[in-house]
Amino acid sequence: MKVLVTGGAGYIGSHAAQRLLADGHSVVVVDNLSRGHARAVQRLREHARNGDRLGFEHLDIRATDPIETLIREHRIDTVMHFAALTYVGESVEKPLDYYENNTAGSLSLLRACERSWSHAHGGVRRFVFSSTAATYGEPPADRVPIREDCPQNPINPYGASKLMVERMLRDSVAAAARSGSDFAAACLRYFNVAGADHTGLIGEDHDPETHLIPIAIQAAMGKRPGMTIFGEDYPTTDGTCVRDYVHVEDLADAHVTVMQKMTTGTCVAYNLGIGRGYSVKEVIAAVERVTAKPIPVRIGERRAGDPPVLFADPAKIRAELGWSASWTDLERIISTAWEWMRRNPEGYGR
């Protein structure tokens, strides 16, 4: 297949591009580099068996006409869409940035796909959307683990901006079917992504870093004085919040699996995860074991909007597509992140 990977210079997108290349697909990465890293794409090209199958365009998904031209010139048949702003707190402070980038940007991308249906090569027929479990908001305790039929009531602009894209995809698939065009879409929802490429070639590099595992590793490395646990009085085994963690390579594998098994005229949604959660204290203890270093920890106040337990039920994708996570041991997941950060203490360099 010829796949356009938006946000392919970012954390998840670069791992998806790596997997696509390994499977023999042709890949064109589109990224405006506001938060992605050109060096990630460069590393992929340098280490690919055939680097000519990886193209890169420094382009914003809101540029509809150039995106349409790119789709036509590269004869793209599939879009894997990761490009997005993803900080929950920032979305509350700058909601319009999130609606402009995530929602309007996706609208622009879909418009280019729609136009491509008149191209001689047939245009884009498959669209895999990297959504988020934040579209569920704060489900009641009796809906955890979360299934796909859980009501979607996002509590922040980030989740809302992604939910709007899911609706656009459903409507676009229905409209395409009515017009006789072949089009299918999938929305993949997940919580916490962790780990890095097991070869150490690419990994996670955010500025600022907000994810628990890399923050804990940075504290273990002495790159920060310590870390804060926000609340230890939740109704969980050790009083701290419980979340699920899916390895980034499993996430890439799920996107490719869905891409290969899509059915024309359908818009499906799947939750991704390992089917269980780990508490904040369990994660920190696991990082200490992997790194063999102590992590200074202080206890802070609860953060508003932090439910005690959130993790996904991945039973649907397992039953329908045969996909399940292969990285299920927390220390094994953390060890890949540790290896990446140990080898690349400054990430891709700044």
Side-chain angles (χ1 to χ4, degrees):
M1 296 180 185
K2 296 180 179 180
V3 187
L4 178 68
V5 179
T6 72
Y11 174 39
I12 304 171
S14 61
H15 284 81
Q18 181 186 46
R19 170 59 188 274
L20 288 164
L21 289 168
D23 285 0
H25 301 285
S26 295
V27 176
V28 178
V29 166
V30 166
D31 202 299
N32 66 9
L33 299 181
S34 62
R35 300 193 177 176
H37 303 276
R39 181 61 178 152
V41 180
Q42 182 181 345
R43 287 188 178 188
L44 291 178
R45 181 179 290 119
E46 291 171 350
H47 288 80
R49 288 194 298 269
N50 185 348
D52 292 341
R53 287 191 290 102
L54 175 61
F56 173 68
E57 296 289 339
H58 186 184
L59 190 62
D60 195 293
I61 58 172
R62 290 169 290 185
T64 311
D65 292 344
I67 293 289
E68 181 191 356
T69 299
L70 186 153
I71 288 172
R72 181 178 65 252
E73 291 181 347
H74 291 273
R75 303 177 69 83
I76 299 296
D77 54 56
T78 302
V79 169
M80 204 169 279
H81 180 30
F82 297 96
L85 300 177
T86 60
Y87 294 137
V88 170
E90 181 183 61
S91 79
V92 175
E93 298 298 324
K94 301 177 180 179
L96 297 185
D97 286 0
Y98 277 68
Y99 293 122
E100 179 181 21
N101 187 86
N102 297 359
T103 309
S106 298
L107 172 61
S108 166
L109 182 61
L110 278 168
R111 180 69 74 188
C113 292
E114 180 186 54
R115 293 177 184 174
S116 79
W117 297 339
S118 63
H119 296 172
H121 79 279
V124 174
R125 300 304 181 191
R126 290 170 294 275
F127 195 109
V128 183
F129 175 48
S130 180
S131 188
T132 173
T135 61
Y136 294 116
E138 296 183 18
D142 62 359
R143 298 304 298 263
V144 178
I146 302 169
R147 301 189 314 182
E148 289 81 357
D149 59 1
C150 181
Q152 290 176 284
N153 296 304
I155 60 172
N156 52 64
Y158 167 60
S161 71
K162 290 276 197 169
L163 181 57
M164 291 179 186
V165 180
E166 291 198 15
R167 178 59 187 267
M168 285 194 293
L169 283 169
R170 288 197 299 271
D171 292 343
S172 295
V173 169
R178 287 193 295 270
S179 68
S181 298
D182 296 333
F183 189 54
C187 305
L188 306 187
R189 306 168 185 155
Y190 45 90
F191 284 106
N192 300 295
V193 189
D197 156 42
H198 71 278
T199 70
L201 182 65
I202 55 175
E204 186 171 11
D205 182 7
H206 296 125
D207 184 23
E209 185 55 73
T210 62
H211 295 161
L212 176 59
I213 288 175
I215 285 176
I217 293 175
Q218 287 175 350
M221 296 173 70
K223 296 191 68 175
R224 57 174 72 216
M227 60 180 298
T228 301
I229 294 176
F230 296 101
E232 61 172 354
D233 58 349
Y234 287 94
T236 60
T237 302
D238 61 21
T240 62
C241 291
V242 172
R243 300 289 186 266
D244 63 358
Y245 295 86
V246 59
H247 193 275
V248 66
E249 288 188 332
D250 276 334
L251 203 60
D253 179 60
H255 281 73
V256 172
T257 298
V258 170
M259 176 190 77
Q260 294 171 332
K261 298 184 178 183
M262 297 176 79
T263 302
T264 295
T266 63
C267 182
V268 296
Y270 293 113
N271 289 343
L272 306 178
I274 62 175
R276 64 151 295 179
Y278 291 96
S279 75
V280 175
K281 287 184 177 179
E282 286 178 318
V283 171
I284 294 172
V287 171
E288 289 182 321
R289 290 192 296 272
V290 169
T291 63
K293 297 177 183 296
I295 298 174
V297 173
R298 65 174 294 271
I299 305 300
E301 297 294 321
R302 288 189 183 192
R303 292 182 301 194
D306 263 353
V309 180
L310 287 177
F311 62 96
D313 180 351
K316 180 182 176 184
I317 191 171
R318 182 171 60 248
E320 295 185 3
L321 303 184
W323 180 89
S324 60
S326 59
W327 298 77
T328 56
D329 179 77
L330 182 61
E331 288 187 28
R332 185 166 171 248
I333 292 172
I334 291 170
S335 67
T336 61
W338 165 238
E339 187 63 17
W340 156 257
M341 295 177 71
R342 187 181 63 80
R343 291 185 183 182
N344 302 271
E346 301 304 321
Y348 291 106
R350 308 197 196 283

